[in-house]
């Protein structure tokens, strides 16, 4: 057996670890800590890293993690998060058998801030603004003109127990937060597991995601605003259990628009007994909600479990969205299959919804998401694809 001594200086902190090769070539994980701002390119060897505070990847810097690595936050040391600033890149190339896992030591939802990425792809914020300040407590500006912005690669990455709420909910983080992230960024085979806010939230931008799992997140499984328009999304899977609001919350910041995101192969499931985040007084229990001029093209959709009294598969929340997006044929849902008594669609209050011909179709053979399971989608021996 040979010993390999590893000494790394990262984020201004010296950390040392010892990895070993045995006769079969197995390498023991490095031990290390992540803290502060990363200002030079780094490759972090396969290992177990602790996260101490908000770690930022600065403009012009690329940080790469080896497959199988684990990053563990600790709620007792303040707000923890990994933040990729505009111009920085985060490369996490896990595998199905060796995912990169970011977790928190207490396993309590909402204990840390997850992965937050910034870019300079276009946004369309409230009032038509092209830049905005973030809502994650960092108050960083986002928005720009670079539709092909590249913030790196996240592949086979699982974020657990994130969704930190700061100052009594006035600032919020999610499992994954994408601020004006561009289409050059790769998002594949990701899991957001038991966070206290949204599983995934897109704030404008053009990035797309494939094979995304949202499991047990307290707010919405998938959420977007500010004119997000990813065009190549497929295989989105949500399983809401215990606490959860909408499967998908879709809005465009009150800007009537002619573009829309495209998502194919969607599964939205809600376990029996799941309550909304706000309790019985909050009617946030629909599979899909459109509001504030939200729109999109969605196909091959499987929905089950949204059977709470008053719930529906698709909700049109306000008159403006109904007039401009539904009646304007800018919301399209095709091959929708509902596996239980959930109603097909409805408007909030007195809003009467009638989709134009071909804009809402049902199917008895829709399959929803088609995702291959593995260690990346298994937690504590439980397969997340229920």
């Amino acid at each position: 057996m040979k010993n390999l001594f590893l000494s790394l200086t990262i984020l201004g902190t010296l950390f040392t670890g010892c990895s070993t090769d045995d006769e079969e070539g197995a390498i023991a994980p490095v031990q290390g800590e992540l803290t502060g701002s990363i200002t030079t390119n780094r490759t972090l060897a396969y290992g177990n890293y602790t996260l101490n505070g908000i770690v930022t990847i600065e403009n012009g810097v690329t940080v790469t993690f080896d497959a199988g690595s684990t990053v563990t936050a600790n709620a007792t040391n303040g707000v923890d998060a990994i933040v990729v600033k505009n111009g920085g890149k985060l490369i996490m190339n896990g595998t199905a058998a060796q995912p990169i896992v970011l977790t928190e030591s207490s396993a309590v939802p909402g204990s840390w801030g997850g992965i937050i990425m910034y870019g300079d792809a276009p946004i369309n914020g409230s009032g038509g603004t092209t830049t905005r300040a973030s809502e994650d407590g960092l108050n960083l500006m986002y928005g720009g003109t670079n539709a092909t912005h590249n913030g790196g690669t996240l592949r086979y990455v699982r974020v657990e127990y994130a969704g930190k709420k700061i100052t009594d909910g006035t600032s919020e983080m999610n499992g994954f937060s994408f601020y004006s992230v561009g289409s050059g960024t790769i998002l594949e085979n990701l899991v957001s597991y038991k966070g206290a806010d949204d599983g995934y939230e897109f704030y404008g931008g053009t990035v797309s995601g494939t094979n995304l799992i949202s499991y047990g997140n307290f707010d919405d499984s998938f959420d977007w605003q500010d004119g997000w328009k990813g065009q190549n999304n497929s295989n989105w899977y949500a399983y809401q259990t215990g606490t959860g609001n909408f499967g998908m919350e879709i809005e465009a910041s009150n800007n009537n628009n002619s573009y829309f995101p495209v998502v194919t192969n969607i599964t939205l499931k809600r376990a029996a007994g799941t309550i909304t985040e706000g309790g019985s007084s909050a009617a946030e229990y629909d599979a899909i909600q459109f509001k504030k001029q939200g729109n999109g093209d969605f196909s091959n959709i499987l929905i089950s479990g949204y059977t709470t009294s008053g719930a529906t598969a698709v909700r049109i929340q306000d008159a403006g969205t109904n007039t401009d997006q539904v009646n304007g044929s800018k919301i399209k849902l095709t091959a929708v299959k509902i596996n239980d008594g959930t109603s097909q669609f409805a408007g909030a209050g007195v809003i009467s919804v009638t989709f134009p011909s071909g804009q809402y179709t049902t199917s008895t053979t829709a399959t929803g998401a088609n995702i291959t399971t593995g260690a990346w989608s298994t937690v504590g021996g439980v397969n997340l694809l229920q």
Side-chain angles (χ1 to χ4, degrees), residues 8 120 263 266 324 353:
L8 301 175
D120 56 355
V263 188
I266 302 166
D324 298 328
V353 178

Side-chain angles (χ1 to χ4, degrees), residues 155-295:
R155 184 180 282 123
Y156 291 106
V157 176
R158 186 168 72 242
V159 170
E160 303 175 346
Y161 312 116
K164 182 80 172 181
K165 296 181 186 295
I166 307 169
T167 60
D168 196 26
T170 57
S171 297
E172 300 176 345
M173 298 172 170
N174 306 288
F176 294 89
S177 302
F178 299 110
Y179 286 94
S180 57
V181 173
S183 61
T185 308
I186 295 174
L187 307 178
E188 295 178 356
N189 297 87
L190 308 181
V191 174
S192 182
Y193 178 81
K194 290 192 176 181
D197 207 85
D198 299 322
Y200 303 83
E201 184 152 7
F202 300 89
Y203 301 84
T206 55
V207 68
S208 297
T210 300
N211 299 338
L212 306 186
I213 298 173
S214 179
Y215 185 99
N217 291 292
F218 285 8
D219 198 351
D220 310 311
S221 298
F222 301 96
D223 189 358
W224 61 85
Q225 58 180 292
D226 296 336
W228 173 68
K229 48 185 172 181
Q231 297 294 295
N232 297 295
N233 303 279
S234 64
N235 291 328
W236 284 16
Y237 181 96
Y239 187 77
Q240 297 180 289
T241 179
T243 302
N245 293 337
F246 301 112
M248 296 168 64
E249 185 176 40
I250 300 168
E251 66 164 278
S253 303
N254 275 322
N255 295 304
N256 187 9
N257 60 86
S258 298
Y259 57 78
F260 46 84
V262 178
V263 188
T264 62
N265 307 336
I266 302 166
T267 296
L268 305 174
K269 292 186 176 182
R270 191 175 183 88
T274 300
I275 62 172
T276 61
E277 185 180 28
S280 60
S281 62
E284 297 181 313
Y285 38 49
D286 304 310
I288 305 173
Q289 184 209 50
F290 291 91
K291 67 178 181 180
K292 298 181 179 180
Q293 302 289 351
N295 56 26

Side-chain angles (χ1 to χ4, degrees), residues 78-112:
V79 180
D80 294 334
I82 292 181
V83 177
V84 186
K85 291 187 176 180
N86 181 29
K89 290 184 179 180
L90 174 61
I91 309 297
M92 288 185 162
N93 266 320
T95 67
Q98 289 187 301
I100 296 171
V101 178
L102 300 95
T103 189
E104 198 278 329
S105 53
S106 70
V108 174
S111 292
W112 70 295

